[in-house]
């Protein structure tokens, strides 16, 4: 086992800084063995223990690890949280809560102590059980590849490495090592409520599978190693594709070039989607097969611009023109191009009103001298209306339930504003805060699109209200 | 089920010719259902049945399928072979023999009848069982992806498609369909000696796994679909890499640029290796994880030029200079550059001897006028030797066990020819047939390398034998 661990540190950790490393020690055989081996291999170490407060003996176990640290003469850090409470408060399983709080503690300590790596005691049997659990729930490559010997847990830290030096050592080897070296340990509690499932796998399903292939566990380990390499190849391809398809994004949203997505095959889209969810959520935990297939169909579907589909954990996907967006909320997407009204406001002649998105609305009273110029105006961001029909101040607001509008050129009746927006193909995302210039309940002008028929400048009109929506100067 | 099959034919078979298709009908529920569905969907069909002669009722089953064909009014072709005998003769399992002979028959008929596709009745349960078998033996992506709905079996034919329209239909759906449509069937025998294993999986392991995840079978199907896409991505990458690393090859061997291989990562080498084995063997059946890892190490190892490693089923790998070769036999690799002696021959002055590889050996007697010119000769493909010591004809042969040689510049003793070859770094592959010019048992000249010390031209020499090995003119 010592030879294995030394070759692990030499080969898998080649070229990455791992010292001083925080070693997560629960007090179970795996972590006690790992600690002993790492100390023998001469590494610089900080011993970390997290008390999950899940068992009556938890306190004693912490003491035991503390004494162990003292005996070895290495620094010891200890943390604790009420895992049960945290699970309840966050509506997650106890196992999930335990994992989260434990890693939060270990990564937090590593950051504090400027440690570039955390070592944990997962062994080959844990690996087999993990892969089998993924297999049972129908995971793809990313699950069947199992745990990685050297990896990052981006949800906790993007820089600090997580290393698993015992990943190719069997539980029996570890127990033998502990016995031969008189290492005391407690029962390992790192997998609390999975214990029942793991125990069933360990004592029932895996032995059963070994009757089909006595070398099943070894075969699975090898297959995982191979698939880890394959996944890496796919990830590199996905990287390249991401680079070619990516348009914009920040921690709150991502947008991709829809044309490029449409030319890709389904497998690539699936991998891009998984990557995108991981990027936005720091984890892939909640994305289902169906959700990913929905996205694939959305992209391949010609009607992509009318749909919005749920992806995972609050994320949704929609298309806008040539772009596909993934986000948790429309408001996470900076609307750099559209004018937006956040709060209703009023405007009078001679004033200018600042709108979100670096736009401003101007209003002035003008004498009509050149009717021709006005009627031939093709700029939808400017309007001239009959001043005699208008009573200041005008309201500037966004749409309201039931808004209707009588566009210029439609002498009779009014249409639903929602229908008008659909007709002019205004982005769904922009409709909610698009500025409307109103007089009482009546919409006079929809900047960028159309003004109300009734307020048009006629031959008899002498004075006109001129309004303009433009980018704020000096921007 | 009919809807599924129609959408299968529309989607999966889009853009490929599948009619008229040969439908493999064993008489079991799957194939009987498949046949009925394909006929209802209006396809042009030829019914094919292969009699494995494995059961007492085999003959009756063939009759039943024949009558079925007559009832439907479609052409019927039937073949038979003694599977047991074939298995014994070829030292393969009965299941393997049955598969091979059955597909040989079906593909043979398809070729004869100019049919572009063969349809077989594998169902979703078969798929789950197949994947599980691969999982138990530790397969990678290519096994875990399961059977493909549309594929080629290159070992039988490179053009004709094999399609599996029922691959997403469960056995229960198929049985229900047979019942509702009063379709008679016999017990399916397509998996003869695997029956025991499959039965165990079907009745024991899979139900057991469903206690962990009731939707296990569906989950596995989905995961297979995803992995099939991932594998395709990897295969495209492997294609590109193959193109960049490939140097030469034919059905008997492949050679790749070693420098390019050395820059690739292990996952890519593994995939290239699998592809190469499939290319040379038309199947990947015998290549083990260890064999592939040996190749990866060989490539990464600096001493690659001294090793020869076994790969699979008689294939081996060796490196030569800047190349890595994969072959079953050195003689499968055309030795375009080296002169080769296939049969011992003799040569006299004034003659020329043709050697394999478009080389010729010339011999002439010359008067010595310019000793300086001779002693300053730097061309190892020409030699001048003391004619007084030589008795014609000279023998030209390849090496023999125990050959020794006294190279020029070594006045005393002889060295083993094998050591000489190693010293001068002649390719292993070329050593066996390299031409040696001999007088009785004594090697006078090794063209391209050195002549024997004793036969050197001395100041007292008056007449000399001049020999030359050169590319045949007019080539």
């Amino acid at each position: 086992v010592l030879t294995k661990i030394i070759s692990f540190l030499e080969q898998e950790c080649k070229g990455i800084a791992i010292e001083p490393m925080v070693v997560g020690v629960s007090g179970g055989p795996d972590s006690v063995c790992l600690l002993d081996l790492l100390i023998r291999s001469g590494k610089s170490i900080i011993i970390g223990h997290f008390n999950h407060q899940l068992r009556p003996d938890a306190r004693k176990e912490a003491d035991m690890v503390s004494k162990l640290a003292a005996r070895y003469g290495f620094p010891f850090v200890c943390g604790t949280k009420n895992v049960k409470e945290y699970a309840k408060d966050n509506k997650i399983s106890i196992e999930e809560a335990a994992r989260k709080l434990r890693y939060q503690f270990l990564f937090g300590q590593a950051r504090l102590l400027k440690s570039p790596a955390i070592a944990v005691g997962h062994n080959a049997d844990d690996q087999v059980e993990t892969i089998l659990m993924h297999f049972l729930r129908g995971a793809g490559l990313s699950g069947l590849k199992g745990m990685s010997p050297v990896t990052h847990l981006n949800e906790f830290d993007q820089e600090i490495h997580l290393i698993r030096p015992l990943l190719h050592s069997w539980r029996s080897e570890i127990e033998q090592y502990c016995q031969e070296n008189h290492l005391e340990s407690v029962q390992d509690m790192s997998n609390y409520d999975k214990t029942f499932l793991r125990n069933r796998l360990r004592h029932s399903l895996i032995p059963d599978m070994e009757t089909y292939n006595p070398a099943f566990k070894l075969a699975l380990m090898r297959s995982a190693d191979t698939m880890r390499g394959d996944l890496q190849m796919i990830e590199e391809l996905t990287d390249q594709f991401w680079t070619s398809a990516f348009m914009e994004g920040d921690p709150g949203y991502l947008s991709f070039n829809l044309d490029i997505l449409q030319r890709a095959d389904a497998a690539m889209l699936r991998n891009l989607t998984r990557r995108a969810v991981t990027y936005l959520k720091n984890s892939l935990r909640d994305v289902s097969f169906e959700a990913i297939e929905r996205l694939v169909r959305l992209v391949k579907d010609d009607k992509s611009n009318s749909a919005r589909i749920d992806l995972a954990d609050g994320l949704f996907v929609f298309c806008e023109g040539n772009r596909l967006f993934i986000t948790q909320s429309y408001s996470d997407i900076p609307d750099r191009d559209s004018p937006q009204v956040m709060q209703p406001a009023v405007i009078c002649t001679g004033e200018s009103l600042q709108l979100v998105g670096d736009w401003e609305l101007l209003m002035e009273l003008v004498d009509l001298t050149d009717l021709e110029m006005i009627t031939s105006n093709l700029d939808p961001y400017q309007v001239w209306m009959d001043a005699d029909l208008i009573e200041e101040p005008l309201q500037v607001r966004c749409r309201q339930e039931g808004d209707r509008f009588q566009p210029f050129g439609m002498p009779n009746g009014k249409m639903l504003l929602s229908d008008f927006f659909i007709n002019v193909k205004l982005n769904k995302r922009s409709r909610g805060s698009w500025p409307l210039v109103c007089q009482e309940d009546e919409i006079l002008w929809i900047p960028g699109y159309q003004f109300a028929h009734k307020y048009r400048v006629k031959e008899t009109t002498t004075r006109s209200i001129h309004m303009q929506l433009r980018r704020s100067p000096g921007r």
Side-chain angles (χ1 to χ4, degrees), chain A:
Chain A
V1 186
L2 184 59
T3 336
K4 270 196 197 176
I5 217 172
I6 287 171
S7 95
F8 172 90
L9 294 171
E10 273 172 9
Q11 285 174 23
E12 301 277 356
C13 300
K14 194 157 58 183
I16 62 170
I18 52 168
E19 291 182 88
M21 71 177 99
V22 172
V23 185
V25 180
S26 67
D30 298 333
S31 59
V32 164
C33 169
L34 173 67
L35 179 63
D36 193 73
L37 286 165
L38 287 173
I39 287 172
R40 281 182 199 229
S41 71
K43 295 292 164 194
S44 160
I45 281 168
I46 297 142
I47 297 167
H49 176 82
F50 185 73
N51 177 351
H52 299 83
Q53 304 178 17
L54 288 172
R55 293 196 300 180
D57 285 346
R59 186 64 235 164
K60 277 193 210 158
E61 287 162 16
D63 288 346
M64 179 223 143
V65 178
S66 151
K67 278 180 198 149
L68 193 66
R71 207 155 57 237
Y72 281 122
F74 280 92
F76 174 71
V77 289
C78 184
T80 188
K81 281 264 168 73
N82 189 326
V83 170
K84 264 190 193 145
E85 211 166 79
Y86 184 86
K88 212 173 149 193
D89 292 349
N90 292 276
K91 287 173 189 144
I92 55 179
S93 71
I94 289 187
E95 194 263 342
E96 186 72 0
R99 173 184 181 277
K100 197 160 179 183
L101 293 173
R102 182 172 65 248
Y103 278 126
Q104 264 176 10
F105 167 71
L106 291 174
F107 279 96
Q109 289 297 323
R111 272 189 296 268
L112 257 168
L113 301 164
K114 308 223 177 302
S115 161
I118 291 169
V120 289
H122 293 117
N123 63 38
D125 290 274
D126 294 330
Q127 175 78 310
V128 168
E129 288 152 21
T130 300
I131 296 170
L132 193 49
M133 280 192 277
H134 286 302
F135 183 71
L136 286 166
R137 69 169 179 75
L141 206 47
S142 58
L144 296 178
K145 74 164 209 322
M147 296 179 276
S148 300
V150 177
T151 189
H152 290 103
L153 298 183
N154 285 333
E155 44 187 315
F156 301 106
D157 197 287
Q158 316 243 350
E159 300 291 329
I160 297 171
H161 294 94
L162 183 75
I163 68 174
R164 298 181 169 107
L166 292 180
L167 200 58
H168 284 85
S169 303
W170 299 100
R171 188 169 289 135
S172 58
E173 297 176 282
I174 291 168
E175 279 167 2
Q176 200 192 333
Y177 181 88
C178 286
Q179 229 170 34
E180 286 173 3
N181 293 277
H182 311 290
L183 301 178
E184 257 181 87
S185 62
V186 298
Q187 203 206 321
D188 207 321
M189 282 310 292
S190 50
N191 294 290
Y192 187 72
D193 77 354
K194 264 194 186 159
T195 303
F196 179 66
L197 171 58
R198 282 209 183 248
N199 268 334
R200 266 188 77 197
L201 293 177
R202 193 175 301 172
H203 298 298
S204 165
L205 189 56
I206 293 174
D208 199 18
M209 295 180 99
E210 284 177 316
T211 65
Y212 293 85
N213 174 8
F216 169 68
K217 294 200 294 185
L218 183 62
L220 207 57
M221 290 289 288
R222 284 173 171 179
S223 139
D225 288 340
T226 301
M227 288 202 272
R228 207 171 303 125
D230 286 342
L231 183 64
Q232 207 182 321
M233 283 173 62
I234 288 185
E235 303 232 301
E236 279 162 26
L237 264 189
T238 310
D239 275 347
Q240 288 169 23
F241 183 66
W242 177 293
T243 306
S244 76
F246 177 78
M247 294 186 81
E248 254 190 3
D250 66 24
Y253 82 105
L254 288 166
S255 76
F256 298 98
N257 184 313
L258 192 56
D259 292 338
I260 294 176
L261 299 189
Q262 278 167 342
R263 285 196 298 272
D265 53 29
M268 184 59 97
L269 292 178
R270 290 189 196 111
N271 285 298
L272 184 81
T273 308
R274 281 192 282 263
R275 176 76 61 93
V277 172
T278 310
Y279 174 87
L280 293 170
K281 287 282 172 188
N282 266 327
S283 137
L284 196 59
R285 292 181 180 256
D286 287 324
V287 64
S288 70
F289 177 86
E290 288 84 0
I292 291 179
E293 293 310 300
R294 276 198 297 274
L295 182 143
V296 171
R297 277 197 304 275
L298 176 77
V299 168
K300 298 291 179 189
D301 187 358
D302 284 341
K303 290 167 217 142
S304 55
N305 270 303
S306 61
R308 165 188 155 158
I309 57 160
D310 289 322
L311 192 57
D313 196 14
L315 289 178
F316 60 87
V317 179
F318 66 97
C319 298
E320 201 177 278
N322 183 35
R323 289 187 181 199
L324 177 137
F325 286 87
I326 306 179
T327 186
Q328 190 142 24
S329 148
Y330 285 127
S331 62
D332 283 343
I333 304 171
D335 200 346
R336 299 211 178 81
D337 295 326
S338 304
Q340 293 169 71
V341 179
M342 290 314 184
Q343 292 292 329
V346 294
I347 187 168
C348 295
T349 52
E351 291 182 1
S352 92
L353 178 65
Q354 200 64 35
L355 299 184
V356 173
D358 278 315
W359 292 78
E360 61 177 2
L361 186 67
L362 307 171
M363 176 164 167
E364 56 181 342
L365 188 68
V366 291
D367 284 332
L368 276 183
T369 49
D370 187 356
L371 193 63
E372 178 65 21
M373 188 268 285
I374 291 166
T375 54
S376 67
N377 168 46
L378 288 174
D379 177 5
Y381 287 90
Q382 280 193 70
V383 71
W384 284 265
M385 295 180 289
D386 189 337
D388 293 339
L389 298 177
I390 289 170
E391 207 166 299
E392 298 191 29
L394 290 177
Q395 287 83 47
V396 181
R397 61 163 174 90
C398 59
R399 70 169 172 189
Q400 290 171 358
E401 186 71 30
D403 265 340
R404 292 176 160 266
F405 177 56
Q406 183 190 24
F408 175 70
M410 177 171 134
N412 297 307
K414 289 187 171 183
M415 69 191 303
L416 279 171
L417 178 65
S418 52
D419 290 338
F420 178 81
F421 277 159
I422 291 171
N423 288 351
V424 300
K425 297 195 171 69
L426 176 58
N427 292 329
K428 270 189 191 171
R429 191 159 56 85
S430 305
R431 291 177 199 169
S433 49
W434 195 266
L436 307 170
V437 177
C438 305
Q439 180 164 253
E440 311 220 328
D441 277 350
E442 193 159 24
I443 299 171
L444 302 190
W445 184 40
I446 305 172
Y449 293 97
Q450 196 53 282
F451 55 91
H453 188 81
K454 188 173 135 192
Y455 297 86
R456 71 193 183 281
V457 167
K458 293 161 281 275
E459 293 197 9
T460 53
T461 308
T462 52
R463 288 179 326 142
S464 165
I465 295 285
H466 172 236
M467 296 189 82
Q468 183 174 14
L469 182 69
R470 66 176 190 194
R471 292 281 185 183
S472 304
R475 188 206 171 200

